[in-house]
Amino acid sequence: MVQNHNDCLAMDNIKTRARDILDNYLEMYNHRKTPERYSVLEAVYSMPGHFTLKELDEVLRKRNFRVCRATLYNSIRLFVELRLVICHHMADGAHYEVAFNRDSHVHQRCTVCGKITEIEAPEVQRAIDGLRLKRFRRDGYTLYIYGICSSCIAKETRMRSKMEKEKTQKNK
């Protein structure tokens, strides 16, 4: 229970710091502080893992806060520019995730269902930390490992078994 409480406090702190970054930017460039921008930011920082703009829009609608598509796109674009959100360009479209206060990390992406999961890969971290880059300051990295998840493998195996069973029954 203490762990969950501490996690909630840490996430609240991250949300507050993200909101402060947005506040500072809007003040610096004399942009309006609209409730829509802050609602989108709050929704983004409550999303678990990776999400699409469609999923983000659904979360906002469930909260009875409707934002026009242009506002959603413009807000996300701003959050990416401020490095509060990372955009991952995938074959099936853009996926986003919270970026502020996040370490670089490794993703597994299923080429069948499209599911993205994050994994711990200390060996990769050590290898990248040891890289000597010429005339380049590394800010972070994201690595994708493509393959087939265990759920899709199981489905494929069941389908193959079913087809083989039907084939042997036809041959009888």
Side-chain angles (χ1 to χ4, degrees):
M1 186 72 176
V2 173
Q3 179 74 27
N4 291 338
H5 179 69
N6 288 340
D7 289 346
C8 289
L9 289 175
M11 192 60 197
D12 286 344
N13 187 34
I14 290 168
K15 285 180 185 180
T16 300
R17 290 173 58 199
R19 186 179 174 102
D20 290 345
I21 289 170
L22 180 59
D23 280 340
N24 291 336
Y25 174 86
L26 296 175
E27 288 171 9
M28 186 182 309
Y29 292 99
N30 294 319
H31 293 297
R32 292 180 318 142
K33 294 182 177 181
T34 63
E36 290 84 2
R37 283 185 177 135
Y38 291 103
S39 292
V40 173
L41 184 66
E42 172 65 32
V44 163
Y45 273 77
S46 68
M47 299 289 291
H50 301 84
F51 60 91
T52 63
L53 286 182
K54 182 179 178 184
E55 292 166 337
L56 178 59
D57 187 45
E58 289 170 7
V59 166
L60 288 164
R61 288 179 188 274
K62 285 179 184 174
R63 294 178 178 188
N64 291 323
F65 197 91
R66 296 188 185 274
V67 177
C68 74
R69 187 167 293 254
T71 299
L72 194 60
Y73 279 95
N74 290 334
S75 296
I76 286 293
R77 191 175 317 124
L78 174 61
F79 301 160
V80 169
E81 181 181 324
L82 295 175
R83 300 184 70 180
L84 297 173
V85 171
I86 296 173
C87 178
H88 301 282
H89 298 282
M90 304 289 187
D92 62 344
H95 292 253
Y96 301 89
E97 71 176 318
V98 169
F100 182 69
N101 207 38
R102 294 279 321 263
D103 292 331
S104 299
H105 54 282
V106 178
H107 297 92
Q108 293 179 148
R109 170 138 172 122
C110 179
T111 56
V112 176
C113 69
K115 181 179 177 185
I116 302 169
T117 54
E118 294 179 13
I119 63 168
E120 294 290 324
E123 305 87 359
V124 171
Q125 182 67 46
R126 284 192 297 276
I128 289 176
D129 287 345
L131 280 177
R132 290 183 165 260
L133 303 171
K134 293 182 180 179
R135 302 169 57 157
F136 187 79
R137 184 193 80 214
R138 178 181 49 241
D139 290 333
Y141 72 89
T142 301
L143 174 68
Y144 296 95
I145 300 172
Y146 296 93
I148 302 174
C149 71
S150 59
S151 297
C152 289
I153 290 171
K155 286 178 193 173
E156 187 179 284
T157 302
R158 285 192 300 274
M159 286 295 285
R160 194 176 304 124
S161 295
K162 182 180 175 184
M163 289 172 62
E164 287 174 6
K165 189 176 184 180
E166 289 173 357
K167 188 176 178 181
T168 55
Q169 287 178 349
K170 276 186 179 180
N171 291 338
K172 284 186 177 180

